[in-house]
């Protein structure tokens, strides 16, 4: 082989190695992507996007040194069944972990807790099949539905978490529900301060979720 051809081959090989190294570094440094999959409580009904749960959670994580992206996959009005119906197209290909926050509208409509549980189980198994770690955010039912209903509804989240080794945050609206200081005029949805309170409460669980990402994606 002539000297010029040898030099060209060496340069080409070097460029290929450099490119492969760049791609490897990009892959290694890619930020984890948490998908917040839920209803209006996730979507941020009545709030600017910057005050929504996913946006505030991302800022809080970054403030603690966690380089992570939080995707808002909340749709106002969704029941668990509506969430299941859109799960495939709502979950991005680069998802690293998922926060599932569904069930509030099921309770408000007085739907059978067993049906809600069965639907959430389908969502969980579909996400587990993709190797995604899950944080399950629980919900409380209105007390006017009776103690038996309230107890059954609360228990379905703990049961799913135990069965599928999920991280559980028992009540998404803990410290916010029924407090006028932290809710909008409807008395149901959190205001910006309420969302901040939710983020403060759930943050340790989200960091636990992130700790599961390498094992799940490796």
């Amino acid at each position: 082989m002539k000297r010029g051809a040898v030099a060209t081959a060496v340069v080409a090989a070097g460029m290929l190695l450099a490119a492969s190294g760049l791609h490897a570094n990009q892959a290694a440094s890619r930020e984890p992507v948490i998908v917040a999959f839920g209803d209006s409580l996730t979507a941020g009904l009545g709030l600017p996007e910057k005050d929504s749960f996913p946006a505030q959670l991302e800022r809080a994580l970054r403030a603690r040194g966690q380089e992570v992206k939080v995707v808002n996959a909340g749709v106002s009005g969704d029941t668990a069944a509506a969430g299941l119906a859109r799960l495939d197209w709502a979950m991005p290909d680069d998802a690293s972990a998922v926060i599932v926050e569904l069930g509030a509208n099921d309770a408000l409509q007085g739907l059978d807790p067993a049906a809600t549980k069965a639907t959430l189980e389908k969502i969980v198994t579909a996400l587990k099949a993709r190797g995604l770690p899950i944080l399950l955010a629980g919900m409380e039912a209105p007390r006017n539905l009776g103690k038996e209903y309230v107890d059954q509804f609360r228990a379905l989240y703990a049961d799913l978490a135990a069965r599928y080794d999920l991280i559980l945050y028992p009540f998404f609206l803990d410290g916010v529900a029924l407090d006028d200081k932290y809710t909008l005029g409807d008395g149901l949805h959190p205001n910006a301060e309420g969302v901040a309170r939710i983020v403060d409460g759930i943050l340790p669980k989200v960091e636990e979720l992130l700790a599961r990402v390498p094992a799940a994606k490796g």
Side-chain angles (χ1 to χ4, degrees):
M1 182 180 295
K2 294 183 179 180
R3 182 178 298 176
V6 171
T8 300
V10 169
V11 171
M15 291 176 65
L16 286 171
L17 287 172
S20 63
L22 177 62
H23 291 317
N25 289 335
Q26 288 175 337
S29 63
R30 189 183 68 183
E31 293 178 347
V33 175
I34 298 175
V35 179
F37 184 70
D39 49 37
S40 57
L41 300 176
T42 290
L45 182 69
L47 299 174
E49 175 59 29
K50 67 180 181 62
D51 291 332
S52 68
F53 170 70
Q56 290 205 44
L57 177 61
E58 181 176 303
R59 290 198 298 272
L61 288 167
R62 289 182 179 273
R64 293 167 69 92
Q66 297 273 16
E67 296 299 318
V68 60
K69 179 180 179 182
V70 182
V71 174
N72 190 338
V75 172
S76 297
D78 262 11
T79 59
L84 176 61
R86 67 180 174 90
L87 180 64
D88 287 342
W89 61 260
M91 204 58 49
D93 292 337
D94 61 351
S96 305
V98 185
I99 299 171
V100 176
E101 177 277 305
L102 285 167
N105 290 307
D106 298 60
L108 288 174
Q109 295 178 32
L111 302 182
D112 182 2
T116 299
K117 181 179 180 180
T119 303
L120 286 174
E121 187 168 19
K122 290 177 181 178
I123 291 173
V124 166
T125 54
L127 295 173
K128 296 277 282 188
R130 292 183 55 170
L132 296 171
I134 302 166
L135 192 168
L136 181 63
M139 188 52 56
E140 292 282 337
R143 297 299 186 266
N144 62 355
L145 294 175
K147 185 178 186 303
E148 182 178 359
Y149 185 97
V150 169
D151 289 347
Q152 289 179 355
F153 200 86
R154 179 188 300 122
L156 74 86
Y157 294 96
D159 290 349
L160 287 172
R163 180 172 182 180
Y164 291 99
D165 188 29
L166 312 178
I167 299 169
L168 176 67
Y169 189 65
F171 183 30
F172 187 72
L173 293 174
D174 187 32
V176 172
L178 305 179
D179 190 331
D180 292 343
K181 180 180 178 182
Y182 297 115
T183 57
L184 297 174
D186 63 8
L188 296 174
H189 294 91
N191 57 26
E193 292 77 14
V195 173
R197 192 171 177 86
I198 292 169
V199 169
D200 284 344
I202 204 172
L203 199 55
K205 294 292 186 179
V206 177
E207 291 185 318
E208 185 180 341
L209 178 70
L210 283 170
R212 293 192 180 190
V213 169
K217 302 295 284 186

